[in-house]
Amino acid sequence: MDSVTTTFSKHQFSHSHTTTTFHTPVTPIQSLSFRTHNRNHNFRLLCFSSNPSQPPPVVVIGSANADIYVEIDRLPREGETLAAKSGETLAGGKGANQATCSAKLSHPTYFVGQVGDDAYGSLVTGALRGGGVRLDNLTVVPSVPTGHAVVMLQSNGQNSIIIIGGANLSGWPSALPRQHLDLVAQAGIVLLQREIPDYVNAQVAQAARNAGVPVVLDAGGMDGPLPPQILNFVDILSPNETELARLTGMPTESFEQIAQAALKCHEMGVKQVLVKLGQKGSALFVEGEKPIQQPAIVAKTVVDTTGAGDTFTAAFAVALVEGKSKTECLRFAAAAACLCVQVKGASPSMPDRKSVLDLLNPQ
């Protein structure tokens, strides 16, 4: 997809961390109304530039991390010291991963987040920009380090991760700047995760609902319960089976148990639950409808599972905002996740659109 012209008028804002100037021309807006999951929404389809076929952007609000990779044969036991086979630092963070994935899938994508004024911040910013993500709303917080994570990558491709929140959790204003909320209101879909404060997600979700913009919340991140003020404004909740069990207090070892846990999420106010099941695939539970199951597309070689869930969620959102059916969205997301696990790193492993389509439609 060709690059698009953004729709935001020129603004200049000052907030406590940095001053950012935005220079982007306004283009016409086209609105359509349609019905979704038994609830009326007027989702505005914003047409960027003069081509009405070009979709509105994906807007990701979330975390950006520097991932410190340590390759090991196995996890150390208590009190044990192991020598790593190698180590390097790559861009990551659930928000940055999802934004990079969306942009590499050739969809116009904006990222709203925070980094520190340090080497890790430069690394993450460079990776986002290199992936084609628009960074007008990325804030540099001078007094706080960039978020980072220690990723212990085992030889079988599985990982254990320890996260240091840094700028992802500190320094957000109590009320989000107007340009952030304006961007949300003009999105085609908004992606959230739980590696930034709940109050930020709550403001974004409410602004999106007020503008008729659908919200996808990835349940990964903080362990605590989801506040009702977020759940009430989320259209699709996307946990993996472990997160689903934690959020509902219910077992998720079988598909029947997963279905019951998804029903509990419906009772909590979420109409659609998109569950990532790793090697067992995925399932979408829409309130009042039969579940849609998608088998995993098996990777030839699993190198690193870091970021696979973020890839899946972002690819699903891209397909959804581009008007694909739910079944097509699940298949597209499964293909993207399959390609992700075959490459080391989180953001570096996000596939491009051609690779996904080639996997789905082999010649």
Side-chain angles (χ1 to χ4, degrees):
M1 183 178 297
D2 295 332
S3 60
V4 297
T5 303
T6 53
T7 63
F8 310 105
S9 58
K10 179 180 178 182
H11 299 286
Q12 186 172 19
F13 296 91
S14 295
H15 45 99
S16 59
H17 311 312
T18 186
T19 301
T20 309
T21 304
F22 302 87
H23 302 278
T24 43
V26 174
T27 56
I29 292 177
Q30 181 183 54
S31 297
L32 298 177
S33 299
F34 58 91
R35 192 182 299 268
T36 180
H37 54 68
N38 301 322
R39 184 168 61 193
N40 286 326
H41 282 300
N42 291 323
F43 289 147
R44 294 188 299 162
L45 302 186
L46 310 188
C47 299
F48 289 71
S49 77
S50 60
N51 184 355
S53 67
Q54 291 180 333
V58 169
V59 174
V60 182
I61 294 88
S63 58
N65 285 333
D67 288 346
I68 305 165
Y69 268 80
V70 180
E71 291 195 54
I72 53 178
D73 290 322
R74 60 175 176 81
L75 294 175
R77 300 184 181 91
E78 184 176 351
E80 181 182 24
T81 299
L82 291 180
K85 293 188 292 186
S86 67
E88 62 182 314
T89 303
L90 302 169
K94 294 188 72 65
N97 292 344
Q98 292 179 14
T100 300
C101 178
S102 175
K104 290 184 71 174
L105 291 172
S106 301
H107 197 99
T109 304
Y110 289 82
F111 177 66
V112 179
Q114 299 193 155
V115 296
D117 185 14
D118 52 24
Y120 286 162
S122 298
L123 170 73
V124 172
T125 301
L128 284 163
R129 186 175 291 114
V133 180
R134 293 138 195 244
L135 300 178
D136 306 60
N137 290 265
L138 179 67
T139 300
V140 176
V141 186
S143 59
V144 181
T146 300
H148 48 290
V150 178
V151 181
M152 292 171 282
L153 178 63
Q154 299 176 68
S155 55
N156 62 359
Q158 299 302 311
N159 61 65
S160 298
I161 304 173
I162 302 171
I163 295 176
I164 299 92
N168 295 316
L169 294 177
S170 300
W172 286 89
S174 57
L176 292 182
R178 173 51 53 189
Q179 75 268 21
H180 291 359
L181 301 179
D182 286 346
L183 177 64
V184 167
Q186 300 195 57
I189 196 165
V190 169
L191 301 186
L192 301 174
Q193 322 81 39
R194 301 199 69 204
E195 291 182 345
I196 61 174
D198 281 336
Y199 74 86
V200 176
N201 281 335
Q203 289 182 60
V204 171
Q206 183 168 2
R209 174 59 59 82
N210 291 343
V213 176
V215 175
V216 180
L217 173 63
D218 189 308
M222 287 180 279
D223 291 340
L226 277 165
Q229 62 266 35
I230 296 178
L231 283 176
N232 290 340
F233 299 122
V234 168
D235 296 276
I236 302 175
L237 177 65
S238 182
N240 60 30
E241 54 197 314
T242 302
E243 293 157 353
L244 180 62
R246 186 172 68 231
L247 289 170
T248 61
M250 300 173 67
T252 57
E253 296 178 4
S254 68
F255 186 79
E256 291 73 19
Q257 290 175 337
I258 290 168
Q260 289 301 311
L263 180 61
K264 177 71 174 293
C265 291
H266 295 330
E267 295 170 354
M268 294 164 65
V270 180
K271 301 299 182 182
Q272 301 188 58
V273 184
L274 176 62
V275 186
K276 295 162 286 200
L277 301 172
Q279 295 179 343
K280 294 179 286 185
S282 60
L284 178 63
F285 298 88
V286 181
E287 188 174 40
E289 299 181 13
K290 182 180 179 180
I292 305 172
Q293 293 180 258
Q294 169 64 49
I297 297 177
V298 180
K300 295 178 180 179
T301 304
V302 176
V303 175
D304 181 9
T305 59
T306 308
D310 297 328
T311 299
F312 184 94
T313 303
F316 183 93
V318 167
L320 187 65
V321 78
E322 292 180 359
K324 303 298 188 295
S325 70
K326 294 181 177 71
T327 299
E328 290 173 315
C329 291
L330 287 168
R331 188 164 176 262
F332 187 75
C338 170
L339 294 169
C340 170
V341 300
Q342 298 180 58
V343 179
K344 181 181 176 182
S347 289
S349 68
M350 304 299 164
D352 59 36
R353 193 181 193 96
K354 181 179 184 303
S355 298
V356 175
L357 295 179
D358 286 348
L359 179 59
L360 291 173
N361 305 295
Q363 300 300 318

